[in-house]
Amino acid sequence: MITQIRVDDRLIHGQVAVVWAKELNSPLLVVANDEAAKNEVTQMTLKMAVPSGSKLLIRSVEEAIKVFKDPRGKDKRIFVIVNSVSDANRIAQAVEEIETVNVANAGRFDNSDPAEKISVFSSVQLNPTELAAAKELASLERVDSYNQVLPSNAKKDLAEALNNL
């Protein structure tokens, strides 16, 4: 089961690898990212950021969805990291067993026109495509979607934030 899909521009970094993996009690981290799945340098960098005792899979979004649908993973606690709301939404639409989606840090490094971005939270600025994906994600009643940068921060409901735009 996916314990959390985290949307974070940086994919894996100290906060994600150490704090969140421990908080979620998820020894299996899956980076679902098409570019990372093809880039050996990125893969080496991501592997260096994972603490010992944790396992890391780096897959394209489509390959990751196949992993998540495999019945052998049903009893595993899986922490998924993506770098776009669109990828989180693709996974959430395709996979039933998801506890939460945390849209934590998004839109700062996507190379889209800053004038077109909408600030949903202080750490989340979305272009029109990502904003549409966020609205679709927030409409999924079976998935709790929110913004929470650190476990010590309060959760901010994604649907509520989008309704207040």
Side-chain angles (χ1 to χ4, degrees):
M1 166 180 277
I2 295 174
T3 58
Q4 183 181 104
I5 298 174
R6 180 182 173 91
V7 181
D8 197 311
D9 288 324
R10 301 166 288 174
L11 295 173
I12 298 178
H13 51 88
Q15 190 181 88
V16 169
V18 178
V19 177
W20 279 103
K22 182 178 178 182
E23 176 73 17
L24 298 169
N25 189 26
S26 296
L28 176 58
L29 286 75
V30 177
V31 170
N33 181 271
D34 295 343
E35 293 303 314
K38 294 185 283 188
N39 187 316
E40 289 183 27
V41 173
T42 300
Q43 291 174 25
M44 288 189 315
T45 304
L46 292 171
K47 288 175 184 175
M48 287 189 291
V50 176
S52 63
S54 294
K55 183 175 181 181
L56 173 66
L57 294 177
I58 302 168
R59 299 287 188 267
S60 68
V61 175
E62 286 306 313
E63 286 298 315
I65 289 170
K66 290 176 186 174
V67 169
F68 305 143
K69 288 184 169 187
D70 188 318
R72 293 175 290 181
K74 186 174 182 170
D75 295 330
K76 291 184 173 43
R77 296 184 56 78
I78 305 170
F79 179 26
V80 179
I81 304 111
V82 298
N83 69 350
S84 71
V85 178
S86 295
D87 288 348
N89 185 47
R90 280 174 61 196
I91 295 167
Q93 296 295 332
V95 179
E96 291 290 322
E97 299 289 323
I98 300 172
E99 288 181 11
T100 65
V101 178
N102 181 358
V103 181
N105 294 297
R108 295 172 297 164
F109 308 118
D110 69 2
N111 297 324
S112 61
D113 183 355
E116 291 185 346
K117 291 183 181 180
I118 303 292
S119 183
V120 181
F121 303 105
S122 61
S123 61
V124 178
Q125 295 82 41
L126 303 178
N127 64 37
T129 302
E130 290 291 281
L131 185 61
K135 289 177 179 178
E136 193 172 319
L137 177 63
S139 72
L140 280 176
E141 292 183 16
R142 64 179 167 74
V143 178
D144 183 20
S145 48
Y146 55 88
N147 167 269
Q148 186 181 29
V149 178
L150 292 169
S152 58
N153 298 132
K155 289 182 182 179
K156 299 173 190 168
D157 186 76
L158 179 61
E160 184 178 317
L162 292 170
N163 287 334
N164 291 331
L165 294 179

